[in-house]
């Protein structure tokens, strides 16, 4: 794979000479990371007006700039202001606007953390922050508060403590490595982590969230994939936001991962001025599946500080899904989610397809607007589930069914659970009952 004429020009503007192959060396890319506005402008051949400069410098002091030469080379200098690549990597003074509803840690990742660097939010899976380093600082980063922190690569000691937690917590069957970007670690360090995790009997899958196929595709080397395939099943989730990010180089990186037998998913963030358009999204998901990447999530932009200018109304996401569901391959449609502020986790949101319901019929509408009915069975025999799998006709001989505890709404639906209502912890009416009961107890 050769590099483009434009990339050759940029290569020389970095003061590099000799073989253009160096451009494709990820370490050359990291060494030439652009971290200041002057270099950014010189290399790209653009200029911001002086009256804007002061605000930009101020933004940079709060939220640093960092972009790989490769990602920079994808910007169209003729129309950089509207460029989706530029908007994702170049600071905007709008980032300094902290609005009323912004939060430093909207997802409460620091609160739901039993050991530093690990978030245990869902019953059976955990998120591990294995690095604070990224090949590019996304302007829309949800962990903006941490971007550019010193001591960014956690020491082996810190990682070991997180791994110990997983080792002694048998419900964890899925470990998600995130960061920062786990692929910014050396192969040796990453392998050290993977080796320990995969040796834990109850860890069934390891997932890696990385943006390197988008911003530093040369990081996906043969050596890396050869190492990864030793620890299968490893799933990789990447983060493409715009069809323009799918280039020959990123295609090659994705192909290498897929050829190593690694299932690929993609998480897109819905961003105003970047991809808040059904046509852009449709092009993006088509390019992804063409490259063996399954669109996994479409995220509503989080409430982190300084992201307001990137946020769209939820209706924009619904409109995009409306234009995908039914119109294109089912596996090209991501699940649209809002990551609940306060740590409630990802909540899926969908257009409504269920229009009405009676005791034996449901009324539905399809993507074309056709309204149709589905007849429910007249003779469905509801069997009472007392979790006695041995006597059940479903022939599922599962161990430990008696101990299985339903959670949340699942609890309300389960036969074997007597819960009839879920009540918020601070419900006043229930607090009064409690107080009354205590008073009575104190008297007797
Ligand atoms: C997103 C996330 C996960 C993984 O969620 P999935 O829906 O299984 O992809 C796990 N832990 C935390 C804290 C997360 O934010």
């Amino acid at each position: 794979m050769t590099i483009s004429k434009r990339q050759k020009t940029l290569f020389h503007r970095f003061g590099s000479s000799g073989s253009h192959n160096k451009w494709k060396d990820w370490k050359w890319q990291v060494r030439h990371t652009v971290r200041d506005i002057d270099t950014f402008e010189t290399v790209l051949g653009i200029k911001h007006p002086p009256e804007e400069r002061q605000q930009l410098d101020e933004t940079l002091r709060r939220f640093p700039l960092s972009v790989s030469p490769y990602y920079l080379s994808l910007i169209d200098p003729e129309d950089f202001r509207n460029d989706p690549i530029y908007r994702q990597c170049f600071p905007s003074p709008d980032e300094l606007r902290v609005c009323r509803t912004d939060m430093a840690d909207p997802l409460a990742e620091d609160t739901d953390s039993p050991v530093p660097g690990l978030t245990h939010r869902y019953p059976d899976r955990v998120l591990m922050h294995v690095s604070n380093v990224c090949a590019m600082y996304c302007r829309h980063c949800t962990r903006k508060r941490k971007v550019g922190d010193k001591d960014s690569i956690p020491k082996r000691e810190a990682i070991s403590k997180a791994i110990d937690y997983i080792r002694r917590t048998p419900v964890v069957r899925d470990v998600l490595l995130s960061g920062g970007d786990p692929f910014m670690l050396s192969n040796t360090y990453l392998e050290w982590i993977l080796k320990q995790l995969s040796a834990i009997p109850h860890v069934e899958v390891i997932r890696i969230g990385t943006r390197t196929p988008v911003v530093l595709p040369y990081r996906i080397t043969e050596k890396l994939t050869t190492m990864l395939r030793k620890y299968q099943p490893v799933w990789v989730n990447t983060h493409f936001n715009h069809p323009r990010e799918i280039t020959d180089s990123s295609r090659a990186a994705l192909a290498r991962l897929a050829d190593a037998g690694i299932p690929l998913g993609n998480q897109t963030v819905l961003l105003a001025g970047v991809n808040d358009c059904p046509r852009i999204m449709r092009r993006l998901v088509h390019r992804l599946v063409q490259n063996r990447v399954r669109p996994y999530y479409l995220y509503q932009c989080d409430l982190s500080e300084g992201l307001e200018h990137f946020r769209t109304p939820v209706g924009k996401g619904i409109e995009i899904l409306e234009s995908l569901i039914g119109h294109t391959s089912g596996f090209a449609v991501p699940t649209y989610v809002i990551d609940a502020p306060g740590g409630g986790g990802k909540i899926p949101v969908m257009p409504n397809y269920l229009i009405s319901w009676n005791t034996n019929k449901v009324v539905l509408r399809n993507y074309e607007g056709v309204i149709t009915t589905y007849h429910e069975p007249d003779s469905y025999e509801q069997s009472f589930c007392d979790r006695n799998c041995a006597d059940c006709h479903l022939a599922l001989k599962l161990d430990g069914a008696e101990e299985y505890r339903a959670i949340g709404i699942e609890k309300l639906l389960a036969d074997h659970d007597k819960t009839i209502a879920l009540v918020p912890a601070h419900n006043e009416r229930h607090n009064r009952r409690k107080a009354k009961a205590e008073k009575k107890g104190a008297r007797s």
Side-chain angles (χ1 to χ4, degrees):
M1 183 210 3
T2 52
I3 70 172
S4 70
K5 214 170 119 206
R6 168 136 191 87
Q7 290 172 333
K8 283 178 189 162
T9 312
L10 260 62
F11 177 73
H12 294 297
R13 287 191 193 152
F14 278 100
S16 282
S17 54
S19 166
H20 292 138
N21 276 337
K22 276 196 251 170
W23 175 272
K24 292 189 276 179
D25 172 0
W26 72 276
K27 291 191 172 149
W28 181 93
Q29 289 279 336
V30 171
R31 269 201 308 281
H32 291 85
T33 299
V34 175
R35 295 179 191 280
D36 65 281
I37 296 175
D38 288 333
T39 313
F40 193 101
E41 291 185 335
T42 312
V43 171
L44 207 59
I46 61 166
K47 195 88 195 140
H48 294 85
E51 53 285 10
E52 206 181 338
R53 239 341 250 277
Q54 197 197 331
Q55 278 189 309
L56 286 176
D57 289 335
E58 205 180 314
T59 313
L60 230 79
R61 274 196 293 277
R62 177 92 202 277
F63 301 117
L65 161 77
S66 174
V67 55
S68 64
Y70 162 81
Y71 198 63
L72 189 85
S73 77
L74 306 183
I75 298 172
D76 173 9
E78 301 299 322
D79 187 19
F80 66 90
R81 297 266 179 201
N82 291 316
D83 190 284
I85 316 287
Y86 172 87
R87 290 198 168 169
Q88 289 181 71
C89 70
F90 194 78
S92 156
D94 288 341
E95 292 169 40
L96 294 175
R97 260 187 14 231
V98 173
C99 76
R100 203 165 32 84
T101 49
D102 285 358
M103 298 183 250
D105 176 19
L107 310 180
E109 289 184 322
D110 297 342
T111 336
D112 278 343
S113 177
V115 278
L118 184 143
T119 305
H120 190 174
R121 164 155 313 145
Y122 296 103
D124 67 343
R125 52 210 188 278
V126 294
L127 180 83
M128 260 177 90
H129 302 272
V130 295
S131 107
N132 266 340
V133 182
C134 283
M136 190 273 270
Y137 293 163
C138 302
R139 301 323 295 182
H140 55 275
C141 183
T142 188
R143 304 195 181 113
K144 232 170 153 66
R145 68 191 186 281
K146 294 193 171 168
V147 171
D149 278 1
K150 293 275 179 301
D151 293 321
S152 308
I153 305 256
K155 298 279 176 294
R156 287 192 185 225
E157 209 179 69
I159 302 266
S160 290
K161 284 200 178 125
I163 297 177
D164 281 342
Y165 174 82
I166 297 169
R167 214 175 266 126
R168 62 173 192 265
T169 314
V171 290
V172 177
R173 43 161 289 286
D174 174 5
V175 178
L176 173 44
L177 304 184
S178 178
D181 199 312
F183 284 170
M184 291 307 280
L185 303 177
S186 68
N187 288 358
T188 321
Y189 198 35
L190 187 58
E191 180 159 20
W192 175 77
I193 299 172
L194 293 176
K195 195 178 222 148
Q196 292 183 78
L197 288 174
S198 62
I200 302 174
H202 54 265
V203 172
E204 297 170 5
V205 263
I206 300 172
R207 286 196 260 177
I208 297 175
T210 175
R211 214 179 175 195
T212 55
V214 188
V215 297
L216 187 64
Y218 313 122
R219 174 64 183 100
I220 312 302
T221 58
E222 204 70 54
K223 267 203 178 119
L224 176 68
T225 51
T226 307
M227 184 276 280
L228 291 176
R229 63 192 307 167
K230 288 195 266 173
Y231 302 98
Q232 301 282 30
V234 174
W235 292 57
V236 167
N237 256 334
T238 181
H239 174 180
F240 285 91
N241 285 335
H242 196 278
R244 280 259 311 279
E245 294 171 332
I246 299 185
T247 64
D248 288 346
S249 302
S250 57
R251 277 192 191 95
L254 295 172
R256 197 164 264 173
L257 288 164
D259 288 345
I262 296 169
L264 297 173
N266 185 71
Q267 323 203 120
T268 294
V269 185
L270 180 55
L271 297 169
V274 173
N275 58 15
D276 51 339
C277 157
R279 293 186 69 195
I280 289 177
M281 282 296 187
R282 197 191 298 208
R283 175 66 59 84
L284 174 64
V285 298
H286 286 166
R287 290 290 168 270
L288 287 169
V289 297
Q290 255 184 326
N291 288 285
R292 292 180 276 175
V293 183
R294 166 83 153 93
Y296 180 50
Y297 282 143
L298 171 64
Y299 283 97
Q300 175 66 12
C301 187
D302 285 330
L303 295 172
S304 298
E305 282 170 356
L307 298 189
E308 208 209 351
H309 59 295
F310 278 130
R311 273 180 224 134
T312 65
V314 174
K316 185 48 79 176
I318 302 274
E319 180 191 341
I320 287 167
L321 279 208
E322 192 75 78
S323 78
L324 293 175
I325 297 172
H327 298 268
T328 194
S329 323
F331 60 74
V333 184
T335 305
Y336 177 38
V337 292
I338 302 180
D339 216 334
K346 298 171 186 76
I347 300 174
V349 235
M350 273 260 251
N352 287 328
Y353 291 95
L354 197 55
I355 291 182
S356 197
W357 210 339
N358 74 3
T359 54
N360 64 0
K361 256 192 279 188
V362 288
V363 181
L364 307 145
R365 62 100 178 172
N366 79 349
Y367 71 102
E368 300 166 306
V370 169
I371 295 180
T372 187
T373 49
Y374 174 83
H375 260 274
E376 303 206 90
D378 290 330
S379 60
Y380 176 73
E381 214 170 304
Q382 170 69 27
S383 56
F384 184 87
C385 174
D386 53 2
R387 294 178 298 176
N388 185 358
C389 293
D391 286 348
C392 176
H393 68 286
L394 287 172
L396 175 75
K397 305 286 181 251
L398 263 191
D399 293 333
E402 318 74 55
E403 282 108 65
Y404 182 80
R405 285 182 53 235
I407 289 174
I409 308 296
E410 182 193 11
K411 218 187 199 15
L412 300 181
L413 296 173
D415 292 328
H416 56 76
D417 198 295
K418 299 282 172 279
T419 312
I420 51 164
L422 299 179
V423 183
H426 303 297
N427 181 292
E428 275 194 37
R429 187 164 50 85
H430 279 253
N431 284 347
R432 273 198 303 275
R433 281 187 196 168
K434 235 187 294 171
K436 199 169 150 192
E438 274 161 20
K439 232 159 109 189
K440 211 168 143 194
R443 243 187 283 132
S444 60

